[in-house]
Amino acid sequence: MSQSTITELEQLLALENIRNTKARYCRYIDTKQWDTLGEVFAPDAVADFSTEGNPIPVLTGRDTIVQVFRDLVDVAVTVHHVHSAEVEFVSENEAKVISPMEDWVTFPEGNDNKSFHGFGHYHETFVKIDGQWLIQHTSLKRLRLDLFE
């Protein structure tokens, strides 16, 4: 932990809140809960999911992020798994988080998008707003991306 003044108890509570926020992110995408997905992002959140074979522009604003998810994967079967996160508290209201991840995205036959199975790490900044830890910035660094027809 860097120069944060957050207590050990506050760290534990924040870790659980961050973990739950990320778990909801995965569940909301996989269960297509688009009206609820925005709740895990700060209003001015930024998302960068562009990778080779999956060129998505940098997205700014929670409404834009949710709309792009809806547009891209609403027709797909998705499975997102996020594993034990490394968390560094920058301050009482900001944390840097790195989470190993795996995702399966399967588009229906005839869809222009390619299905894929990927592995990598989310690199994120979470901020505490009105007592809740939300995703302020998210970036996906893939280690492997297997494309399917």
Side-chain angles (χ1 to χ4, degrees):
M1 190 171 82
S2 58
Q3 303 170 356
S4 172
T5 59
I6 190 170
T7 68
E8 289 180 353
L9 179 57
E10 289 169 330
Q11 283 183 47
L12 289 172
L13 293 171
L15 286 169
E16 188 64 11
N17 194 292
I18 289 167
R19 185 189 70 79
N20 284 331
T21 297
K22 193 63 181 184
R24 284 192 305 273
Y25 163 88
C26 293
R27 181 169 54 89
Y28 293 160
I29 292 170
D30 293 343
T31 59
K32 314 301 188 236
Q33 294 184 49
W34 308 124
D35 293 338
T36 313
L37 178 60
E39 294 175 6
V40 303
F41 292 102
D44 58 345
V46 174
D48 182 0
F49 299 122
S50 184
T51 59
E52 185 177 335
N54 192 22
I56 300 171
V58 174
L59 308 172
T60 302
R62 85 169 134 211
D63 293 341
T64 299
I65 294 167
V66 170
Q67 188 60 50
V68 169
F69 267 114
R70 181 191 307 253
D71 291 346
L72 286 176
V73 299
D74 192 53
V75 299
V77 174
T78 62
V79 179
H80 290 80
H81 286 188
V82 178
H83 309 286
S84 298
E86 301 171 55
V87 178
E88 176 189 359
F89 290 98
V90 177
S91 72
E92 294 175 6
N93 297 311
E94 183 178 343
K96 300 291 183 187
V97 180
I98 300 174
S99 303
M101 61 74 64
E102 176 180 5
D103 59 354
W104 278 92
V105 178
T106 307
F107 290 96
E109 191 174 323
N111 189 283
D112 291 339
N113 295 309
K114 291 189 179 210
S115 299
F116 61 89
H117 184 199
F119 305 85
H121 296 91
Y122 284 107
H123 292 255
E124 298 177 304
T125 301
F126 279 70
V127 292
K128 188 176 182 183
I129 300 174
D130 296 330
Q132 293 296 312
W133 286 88
L134 304 174
I135 301 167
Q136 176 66 54
H137 184 272
T138 184
S139 173
L140 180 53
K141 308 295 184 205
R142 291 199 181 271
L143 300 172
R144 179 176 176 150
L145 183 64
D146 298 325
L147 300 174
F148 303 98
E149 291 299 324

